[in-house]
Every structure is written in C-alpha cells, then in structure tokens.
Amino acid sequence: MYKSSSVRYIMAQRFSDALDLLHSGACLQFKHNQVTCGAELAVLYVDTLTKAKIPYDDNSLDSLRKIYETIPQVPVPQHLGADDDVEKLAEALTAAKMRAESCSSFLKAAIKWSAESGAPRNGSPQLHSMLAQYLYSQSPELDLAKVSYHFVRGNDPEKFSSTLLDFMGKCYPGEDDLAIARAILMYLAMGNLRDANYLLDEVKKHMEANGLEFSESDLVEFVRYLLPTLQRDALPLLEKLRKVYKSRIDRDPSFNELLDEIAEKFYGVRRKNPLQGMFGDIFKMMV
C-alpha cells in the first residue's frame, strides 16, 4: 500500500506527499520490527529525495536521522548455550545478518544521495558515523576495516576511539596493534592528521586510566613516529620509516597502499604503478 501510493504520488510529481508517506511508513515498519519492509521504504524514500532534487541540508539530514533512530537495535548473539539452543542461535544469527544488510542498504543509499546533493565529496559525515556505529553493533559478521572505513569519513572520532577500545577487548591477543595502526593510517589517507592524533591519544589515555597495558609493538611505534613526520616537510624520513618497519607494515596488505595514499596526500608523490589503488577501489565496492 505504501509503495503503490507513493508511486502514484511520484508519477504525479507530488514529491512532498510521496516523501511524507514513505517516511512515516518506514518509521512505522521499523517500530514494529518489520525490518525488511522498513528498509525497503527507507531506500525508496532516499530514491525520492533524488527524484525530487532535494538538497542535502540540516532538514533533509534530520529526516534521515529520524528514520535511523527507529531502526531496531537487537543485541547480536555471542555465545552458544546448551545443545538444544544451537538451532535458535543459528536462526538469530541469520536474522541479524538480514537485518544488518537491509538497514545498511538504506544508509549506503543515503550516503550516495548526500554526496550528489551538496554534502562533502565522500558523503555526509553524520551518515557515515551512523553506518559505522550500526555495522559495529548490529552486524553478526564484524569487519572492523569496513567499520573504520566509515568512521574515518564520519565526524565522531570520540565514538570511533571508544569503538576501537571495545573491539580491542574482544580481538585475538596480539592483534590490537593492527586495529590501532589501521585506524590511524586510514585517517591519514584522508589527510586528517588531527583526528589521527586524537585517536591515538584517546586510546592510550583510556587504557592507562583503566590500568591496561597500551600496545608498544613495533607497528604502533611506527605510527607514533609517522604522525610527527607528517607535520613537516619530511618525505625522506617517511621513506626511511617505511624501509625500517617494512616487515611490520607488511602484516596487513592494505597498509602499503594506505601509505602510498598518505605520501600523495601530504607530499604530492604520484603513484608510478597504474594498478596501485586497485585494492582500495575493490574494497570500496565491497563496503
């Protein structure tokens, strides 16, 4: 009913009526845990924003935020119970995956619309932050790289730091330095030196305040040297750091590409190999 009525309004170019109907329908479906239907109407709402040529501004962002706030937030099952609970757990995980995919489709569509309608080139920072938080809290197949991708395009480094700390408490021993380094390098690849420094300071400060040992691995040492290097004209030092810490950097196949992007962003170093950047392009298609 919502879809058919909205289509009639759109065909008659009564975009305001169509938007009101789709917005109220999406919120109502989400409030009643009809996630698939709610997400479908929410995506149609974004499509109608495009057709109506609605600009990205505080009002349009607020309308999208209101839809987001009605999306059900259901804790993702973490542990097996008794043997007879295995089937229930499997069903819960399947439902969580479908819920995460449906709601992510709405936020991704909203980000794409915003980038084409007046927001920054990478899309609305607020919408990126919403998607990052949603993926981290609701996806049963957590991929911190995808979460970080949206956080570094967002506007909430404080929330990113708390999310990173929460993840570090759950990840395999010895991998927390990878999470820290990836987050900082992704910020730097965006040219965002301020939030990269903030993130490292906040993580270290929080861990020390709670009596936890801050990772002082060679990889973390590398990013600690990298941050002040990028504050001055020191391309030779950057290249030297990459050579000295090469074995540590090679632990993650994305790090070298991120460092190439950083060299280009901060020092104007153009990539010689036209295939460079392929990893990032493929990753963006997967996000």
Side-chain angles (χ1 to χ4, degrees):
M1 183 184 68
Y2 279 109
K3 287 174 64 177
S4 59
S5 297
S6 65
V7 168
R8 288 197 296 270
Y9 284 142
I10 292 169
M11 291 180 65
Q13 295 193 344
R14 294 172 57 184
F15 295 118
S16 180
D17 291 330
L19 288 169
D20 288 344
L21 183 66
L22 290 169
H23 192 280
S24 61
C27 291
L28 184 65
Q29 296 294 328
F30 280 135
K31 287 178 181 177
H32 286 82
N33 291 312
Q34 301 298 317
V35 177
T36 301
C37 294
E40 189 173 353
L41 293 176
V43 170
L44 287 173
Y45 178 81
V46 176
D47 289 343
T48 306
L49 289 175
T50 301
K51 292 175 182 176
K53 298 181 180 180
I54 302 296
Y56 172 81
D57 56 22
D58 289 342
N59 289 330
S60 53
L61 175 61
D62 187 57
S63 70
L64 292 166
R65 182 184 290 109
K66 287 178 179 177
I67 294 176
Y68 171 75
E69 290 173 348
T70 63
I71 297 176
Q73 301 284 319
V74 182
V76 178
Q78 299 292 329
H79 305 290
L80 284 170
D83 290 342
D84 58 352
D85 291 333
V86 173
E87 185 175 347
K88 291 181 179 179
L89 177 64
E91 291 175 354
L93 290 173
T94 299
K97 183 177 180 180
M98 291 179 61
R99 187 166 56 246
E101 290 175 349
S102 296
C103 296
S104 294
S105 65
F106 153 60
L107 290 168
K108 289 175 184 177
I111 290 170
K112 184 176 183 295
W113 161 80
S114 71
E116 298 169 348
S117 304
R121 181 172 59 90
N122 290 310
S124 165
Q126 292 89 340
L127 292 172
H128 274 294
S129 292
M130 290 179 204
L131 180 52
Q133 293 177 51
Y134 184 82
L135 288 173
Y136 185 76
S137 65
Q138 299 296 304
S139 177
E141 299 175 350
L142 178 60
D143 185 337
L144 189 66
K146 288 185 179 182
V147 172
S148 299
Y149 175 92
H150 291 289
F151 263 127
V152 300
R153 287 160 176 76
N155 63 341
D156 197 345
E158 182 177 355
K159 183 64 178 179
F160 189 13
S161 64
S162 64
T163 299
L164 190 60
L165 285 162
D166 182 73
F167 174 80
M168 288 163 59
K170 301 174 181 177
C171 67
Y172 293 110
E175 291 191 358
D176 52 348
D177 61 340
L178 284 172
I180 294 171
R182 184 185 300 110
I184 291 172
L185 292 178
M186 290 179 81
Y187 262 135
L188 295 176
M190 298 290 294
N192 192 342
L193 186 59
R194 181 196 63 189
D195 287 344
N197 276 289
Y198 174 87
L199 186 74
L200 183 62
D201 290 342
E202 281 298 297
V203 169
K204 184 176 182 180
K205 182 168 56 177
H206 179 88
M207 294 186 72
E208 291 175 348
N210 287 274
L212 301 173
E213 184 178 356
F214 179 71
S215 174
E216 292 290 355
S217 73
D218 290 341
L219 187 57
V220 172
E221 183 177 78
F222 166 70
V223 296
R224 288 178 60 197
Y225 287 144
L226 177 63
L227 288 168
T229 298
L230 298 177
Q231 296 180 37
R232 54 197 180 96
D233 186 10
L235 177 59
L237 180 55
L238 170 60
E239 293 173 342
K240 183 177 180 179
L241 286 172
R242 293 186 68 171
K243 290 179 180 178
V244 171
Y245 290 94
K246 183 179 184 306
S247 63
R248 282 71 173 181
I249 294 169
D250 288 345
R251 287 174 60 194
D252 187 310
S254 71
F255 284 179
N256 276 298
E257 185 180 337
L258 288 169
L259 286 165
D260 287 341
E261 292 181 17
I262 290 166
E264 185 174 24
K265 184 75 68 174
F266 285 86
Y267 299 115
V269 178
R270 299 189 66 179
R271 301 181 184 187
K272 297 179 182 179
N273 185 349
L275 294 179
Q276 283 185 293
M278 183 178 293
F279 178 88
D281 292 339
I282 293 173
F283 176 70
K284 289 173 187 176
M285 293 171 63
M286 294 171 59
V287 172

